Amino acid sequence: MNAKSQHARTWRSLTLLMLLGAAVPSAQAQGAAPQRGGTVSIPLATQPGSLNPVLPSELAASIVNWSMFSPLTAVNPYTLKLEPYLAERYSVSKDLTQWTFMLRRNARWHDGKAVTAADVKFTFDKIRDPEEGATNLPDFRKVKEVKVVSPYEVRVTLNGPDAFFDDRLALGGSEILPQHILGKFKRLKDATAFNTRTPVGSGPFRMKRAVPGQFFELEANPNFFLGRPNLDGLTFKIVPDGNTRITQLLTGQLDWADIEPSQLNVVRNRANVKVTTFDSLGYQIFAWNLRLPMFQDKRVRLAMMHAVDRTRMAQTVSPNLGYVDDLYVPKGLDWVPRPKVEFRAYNPEKAKALLAEAGWKPGAGGVLYKDGKPFEFKILVDKGDVQREQMGLILQQYFNDVGMKVTYDLAERGGRWLEETTGGTFQTRLAAFPVPNIDWVQRLYLSVGQNNGQAYKNAQVDNLLTRLVSTADRAEQAKVMNSVQQALYDDPPNMVLLYRERMTAANAKLMNVPPYNIKDSMLYSHLLWKTK
């Protein structure tokens, strides 16, 4: 059974791209061979949390780390299919409990040493150790044993079937680490220099110079197992302000940036910039912290959904770029059947009625009270994401209109926003998540899912997702996912604000730009090139 072909179908329905703005012909499309040389500058919104990909971090760290470290499997941003990466090939047993990976024999660490099966075992064992605090510990909860079969063959045995183990290895946080460097430390977090300034990976680029708080300069890895990169280097510059990023893109100080809809008119029709838009297979959400009693009442959550005109808000912050929905799997994954449900449209009177039914009555100043306490909370918004900043202000007004006392809480993404998010101490927050395959539904809504920061718990959903990973049959998976979608609709874990199309803007001289976001493209950054 070839796991690659089994899961590649997940990606086939994704809308690839359309070009906006100036018509910039691709040199590659004209048959020109890639040119060698040049560097590309990419902005980071925050200081990377850790340059060790296994440890908890955020988007900025993932962007940098994916250009330096290698997972066993990856999603190709050009074809949008799952494929072997550091693994040359792999297979899974018929009962889905034994995964065998054959490593590329030409893979080398940035210091020249060979990447072996011992490195894979070391990495996976570290992820499995609760004391390490690895991001992907939940993904490895079924792993029973990691065995080195030979220097270039490793076998992972699970204590139960898992049809999506290879998918999860491609989603970040499971990149392979060098045992010969990190094995001398008791805990991964103790390797301070490695984690902050001098990481050693096996990916297309290697660290040349790190100036934390300012920039990270990488150079091409001449021994990269998929071939020496076309570019000579990448420079990641910390540029927190979104408007500054656009200005620097237009002036040539940056070469490639994710952009928001509000920034589109500034960059389109510029001869020196090309814009690519694509279905992100992901959404912006408003998340309740379901640890708080006030949000555990489903009637309250339903009321808050009816209190917001999400269709109007989507057109305001992202005109004609995305759609609003009450289901939790993108339409682009069209093999997943959609139950027939009614969209929870804007209806403030219905919202007030549901709140009253839940015991919330108007008090002084029209604010809702229950048991003597006001309906009061904060919306945690990460500073620098223009779209979410806009959404937070709009949500605040809608919730205030039905009697809630809401504070708009803007915080630095790499500071308090990240601390409250990872610590589960926020009250509500805005966030964005990809849903590129159905395994992400597990990450978000399984009670022990690693991205389930809202603490959602639903026994029916847990049971259905357990059934899902126990079969490789696509028809059975579709049937289960239909039930999962219905269960999530009936007991909403969060409020979907927008299934969004995303955009990147790039220097017109940068070629072979994937129709995908920058972070998920970095594993294939060796294929980028610049015209002279």
Side-chain angles (χ1 to χ4, degrees):
M1 175 180 180
N2 188 304
K4 172 186 172 183
S5 61
Q6 173 189 333
H7 296 295
R9 292 171 294 176
T10 306
W11 297 86
R12 288 179 181 169
S13 59
L14 182 64
T15 302
L16 292 181
L17 65 88
M18 62 179 178
L19 292 177
L20 297 176
V24 183
S26 165
Q28 185 155 343
Q30 296 176 8
Q35 298 176 18
R36 177 71 61 82
T39 62
V40 165
S41 293
I42 298 171
L44 305 175
T46 62
Q47 163 69 27
S50 174
L51 298 180
N52 184 322
V54 166
L55 296 178
S57 59
E58 39 29 74
L59 178 60
S62 296
I63 292 173
V64 180
N65 290 340
W66 274 27
S67 65
M68 296 190 295
F69 291 89
S70 306
L72 294 179
T73 64
V75 173
N76 187 313
Y78 300 97
T79 65
L80 302 175
K81 294 180 180 179
L82 184 73
E83 61 187 33
Y85 192 78
L86 181 58
E88 184 175 50
R89 64 185 185 278
Y90 62 96
S91 61
V92 61
S93 60
K94 187 174 181 180
D95 65 358
L96 304 175
T97 64
Q98 194 171 87
W99 292 79
T100 302
F101 300 89
M102 300 297 298
L103 304 185
R104 298 182 188 272
R105 292 177 179 252
N106 64 334
R108 295 289 184 272
W109 294 108
H110 292 157
D111 61 8
K113 294 186 180 297
V115 180
T116 70
D119 294 306
V120 177
K121 176 175 172 54
F122 169 77
T123 303
F124 287 0
D125 285 346
K126 284 292 186 180
I127 293 174
R128 296 167 61 205
D129 182 355
E131 295 298 321
E132 291 289 352
T135 302
N136 282 4
L137 175 61
D139 277 349
F140 284 74
R141 63 184 177 275
K142 283 188 175 182
V143 175
K144 180 180 179 181
E145 180 186 35
V146 182
K147 182 179 180 180
V148 173
V149 180
S150 73
Y152 297 99
E153 181 178 358
V154 63
R155 183 169 299 140
V156 181
T157 302
L158 312 179
N159 58 23
D162 187 351
F164 299 95
F165 186 67
D166 56 342
D167 282 276
R168 276 191 282 281
L169 295 179
L171 296 177
S174 300
E175 293 88 327
I176 306 307
L177 301 175
Q179 182 183 23
H180 69 281
I181 295 176
L182 296 176
K184 67 184 69 171
F185 296 95
K186 182 178 180 181
R187 297 288 175 226
L188 294 177
K189 66 180 180 180
D190 298 334
T192 304
F194 184 101
N195 297 337
T196 59
R197 299 184 306 279
T198 57
V200 174
S202 60
F205 291 87
R206 63 190 183 189
M207 185 63 69
K208 180 179 180 181
R209 183 165 59 133
V211 182
Q214 296 184 42
F215 63 86
F216 297 84
E217 184 180 355
L218 279 61
E219 62 184 358
N221 174 12
N223 299 315
F224 181 49
F225 52 81
L226 293 179
R228 195 265 194 201
N230 295 314
L231 296 170
D232 288 335
L234 301 173
T235 298
F236 297 98
K237 300 170 59 178
I238 299 174
V239 187
D241 182 71
N243 293 325
T244 302
R245 292 195 288 270
I246 295 302
T247 299
Q248 292 189 7
L249 181 70
L250 294 175
T251 58
Q253 298 173 74
L254 293 173
D255 293 296
W256 192 19
D258 291 309
I259 63 172
E260 299 294 337
S262 61
Q263 300 166 328
L264 178 58
N265 287 335
V266 181
V267 298
R268 72 192 310 176
N269 299 319
R270 298 291 187 117
N272 65 328
V273 174
K274 54 186 175 184
V275 177
T276 302
T277 186
F278 51 91
D279 183 345
S280 69
L281 291 185
Y283 41 47
Q284 298 272 24
I285 63 168
F286 170 79
W288 300 283
N289 189 335
L290 297 173
R291 301 171 183 85
L292 303 179
M294 64 189 298
F295 298 126
Q296 291 172 2
D297 191 322
K298 183 173 70 175
R299 294 169 295 185
V300 169
R301 283 176 273 147
L302 295 177
M304 295 178 76
M305 296 176 79
H306 285 296
V308 179
D309 190 341
R310 287 176 285 159
T311 302
R312 181 177 181 183
M313 181 170 66
Q315 279 300 309
T316 299
V317 304
S318 187
N320 303 315
L321 288 169
Y323 63 96
V324 182
D325 203 350
D326 274 343
L327 294 176
Y328 295 87
V329 174
K331 293 178 181 178
L333 297 182
D334 57 5
W335 68 270
V336 178
R338 296 170 58 83
K340 294 181 179 180
V341 299
E342 181 181 356
F343 177 70
R344 293 178 174 120
Y346 178 54
N347 189 335
E349 295 308 313
K350 185 171 185 177
K352 292 176 182 178
L354 283 167
L355 290 166
E357 185 181 321
W360 293 95
K361 310 293 184 182
V367 175
L368 295 170
Y369 283 82
K370 181 179 180 180
D371 300 328
K373 296 180 180 180
F375 200 122
E376 183 175 9
F377 65 92
K378 294 179 179 180
I379 303 176
L380 184 64
V381 183
D382 52 325
K383 186 177 181 180
D385 188 297
V386 177
Q387 192 174 83
R388 286 200 286 275
E389 288 183 8
Q390 293 176 321
M391 286 180 160
L393 290 170
I394 295 171
L395 288 169
Q396 179 188 32
Q397 186 60 57
Y398 275 123
F399 292 143
N400 284 341
D401 288 345
V402 295
M404 300 175 185
K405 189 176 179 180
V406 182
T407 301
Y408 176 82
D409 187 13
L410 191 63
E412 292 288 346
R413 183 177 180 89
R416 185 166 54 83
W417 185 91
L418 183 61
E419 292 172 3
E420 292 194 26
T421 295
T422 56
T425 58
F426 66 93
Q427 295 176 319
T428 69
R429 70 179 181 115
L430 297 187
F433 284 105
V435 190
N437 58 25
I438 58 176
D439 184 60
W440 260 97
V441 178
Q442 281 200 117
R443 285 186 164 217
L444 291 168
Y445 305 123
L446 192 69
S447 60
V448 294
Q450 68 204 68
N451 296 101
N452 185 3
Q454 64 234 339
Y456 180 72
K457 294 182 180 180
N458 182 308
Q460 181 186 7
V461 171
D462 281 353
N463 289 335
L464 287 167
L465 292 176
T466 298
R467 282 178 53 195
L468 179 70
V469 301
S470 299
T471 178
D473 181 78
R474 180 48 57 89
E476 179 62 22
Q477 290 175 350
K479 181 179 178 181
V480 173
M481 281 305 301
N482 183 66
S483 298
V484 169
Q485 292 236 70
Q486 184 67 56
L488 292 173
Y489 175 83
D490 294 338
D491 180 30
N494 51 50
M495 187 193 313
V496 176
L497 302 177
L498 175 67
Y499 275 98
R500 55 183 182 169
E501 290 186 30
R502 295 299 309 273
M503 293 167 287
T504 64
N507 185 323
K509 293 184 176 181
L510 182 60
M511 296 297 160
N512 211 21
V513 175
Y516 214 42
N517 65 75
I518 290 177
K519 189 264 287 186
D520 292 321
S521 300
M522 294 316 297
L523 289 172
Y524 291 78
S525 53
H526 60 292
L527 299 176
L528 297 170
W529 59 281
K530 291 181 81 172
T531 59
K532 303 298 184 184

